[in-house]
Amino acid sequence: MNKNIVILGTQWGDEGKGKIVDVLTKSNSYVVRYQGGHNAGHTLVINKEKIILHLIPSGLLHNNVIGIISHGVVVSPIALFNEVKMLEKNGFFVKNRIFISNSSPLILKYHIDMDIAREKKLGRKALGTTGRGIGPAYEDKISRRALLVGDLKNRDKLYIKLEEIVEYYNHQLVSFYNFPAIDYKKIFKNLLPIIDFFHDMIQDTTHILHTIIKNKKNIIFEGAQGSFLDIDNGSYPYVTSSNSTIGGVITGTGLGPKNFHYILGVTKVYSTRVGYGPFPTELFDHIDKHFSNYGQEFGSTTGRKRRTGWLDAVLLNRAVHLNSLSALCLTKLDVLDGLKEIKICIAYKNIHTLEIIKYPTMYDLENIEPIYEVHPGWNTNTKGITKFHFLPKEAQNYIHRIEEITKIPVDIISTGPDRLHTIFMKNFSIF
Ligand code: GDP
Ligand code: IMO
Ligand code: MG
């Protein structure tokens, strides 16, 4: 039987999903991006070379792998074109191995301008978006006015629709946000040279996926962002505009729940967040500096410093439930090397009522402080270790404690950014 696996983030993104998708992708298989857009930044390190992917599925750097961008993704054709070209410069030729859904909403200049204009107007109340036009593009989809990838194949329709929609956006950009007007003819002109480039990639990806499943081939579904950036289940309004929890893979691909056999939650052994919004275990001390320096916690897409904090097992348990996780993959274990003690948040306390909270409401993550359990650290180097029994006892105990708290197994541990820096646990067998 074929096995299809979903790999998604259990925190606020940047858990190391890209590396794990790359590690688990085998030749002659399929990798699917199903939500989000080029707000994602997925980093791969192969033979010491670092490559950051935004829209192209991470497994594509393996030979003969086919990548699918399904209709849950919002697609910037310019960003996608540039990414394919960047990969070509690095010796990876993927153009003929990518299919894009004809129903994916397009991200065009007016979405980006609107994203930036809104953030500017919000001032101190800004969300800290990536400025990639993600929110406005999903709004267009929900409001049923979006231009779709399939529209690129019909130049006349594209031209007429662009004129209409740009008029709608210019009204807001100019009168409300005091931004310059956009010229729809210029957008059209900039799209023309790349339309032919995409022509053969644009397909009904739902049909392609059903055919792959009928032929019993393995598929990896690559999530973007993390569970608490989910529009419905996250720390609203400080979220992205798609479903980054498990539901997104169903609606975003056109497959049903029976098509997914193993759901792997990627969890960094501490927490990070880029952008604004509540972050109960956030740190501002020397431990933050340690995570920043050793973990290189700077955004893969925007270069912003990521906020850092201890592992939050209250939220992790929630992510286990939200996503029906089969197992966890813990990443960045090596970043904990050298810390005297390591904390895990196991409950919250309401700072006003002093009530102990184990199931917090996402509505009110602000008025709480974490309650920690403290574990001894280790002084040895775990970077690059590939066998569990070579880890220091304290690290082994820490990992077992996470299994105990979450009640699901840790199947994979990442001990460095490289493909090879990976521990597969004994019971791990997905294919
Ligand atoms: P993603 O968005 O979930 O794919 O994660 P990002 O690529 O944005 O951020 C994860 C960062 O951690 C990248 O720079 C990776 O190269 C790096 N990384 C992944 N796994 C490990 C690990 O186990 N140890 C260390 N030190 N770095 C890692
Ligand atoms: P990957 O896939 C981390 C955050 C932004 C902002 C919020 C909304 O690399 O894990 P948006 O541009 O989506 O409207 O911004 O979501 N954000 C991410 N944070 N990793 C990501 O993706 C993110 N994609 C969006 O920083 O707080
Ligand atoms: Mg990232």
Side-chain angles (χ1 to χ4, degrees), residues 116-164:
I116 294 167
R118 282 203 185 126
E119 285 282 278
K120 202 167 161 207
K121 178 126 186 148
L122 281 168
R124 286 197 305 134
K125 290 188 184 151
L127 305 179
T129 73
T130 58
R132 299 297 190 267
I134 303 295
Y138 276 114
E139 273 173 46
D140 271 2
K141 165 174 152 168
I142 299 297
S143 308
R144 297 163 292 186
R145 64 172 168 257
L147 275 162
L148 304 179
V149 165
D151 293 332
L152 292 175
K153 283 188 160 178
N154 184 337
R155 287 167 204 226
D156 294 341
K157 187 174 167 193
L158 180 68
Y159 189 85
I160 292 165
K161 276 180 96 174
L162 264 178
E163 183 177 7
E164 279 167 17

Side-chain angles (χ1 to χ4, degrees), residues 9 12-18 33 35-43 52-54 115 119 127-136 138 222-226 228-229 237-242 272-277 299-302 304 306-307:
W12 279 290
D14 303 326
E15 296 90 348
K17 302 173 292 291
R33 267 289 306 273
Q35 45 73 226
H38 64 307
N39 49 349
H42 296 177
T43 313
I52 300 176
L53 298 176
H54 301 283
D115 193 357
E119 285 282 278
L127 305 179
T129 73
T130 58
R132 299 297 190 267
I134 303 295
Y138 276 114
E222 174 180 11
Q225 289 81 52
F228 297 104
L229 287 175
Y238 299 98
V239 291
T240 190
S241 297
S242 68
T272 61
R273 176 164 203 168
V274 231
Y276 304 114
S300 314
T301 297
T302 56
R304 289 176 288 177
R306 294 174 182 149
R307 300 154 67 194

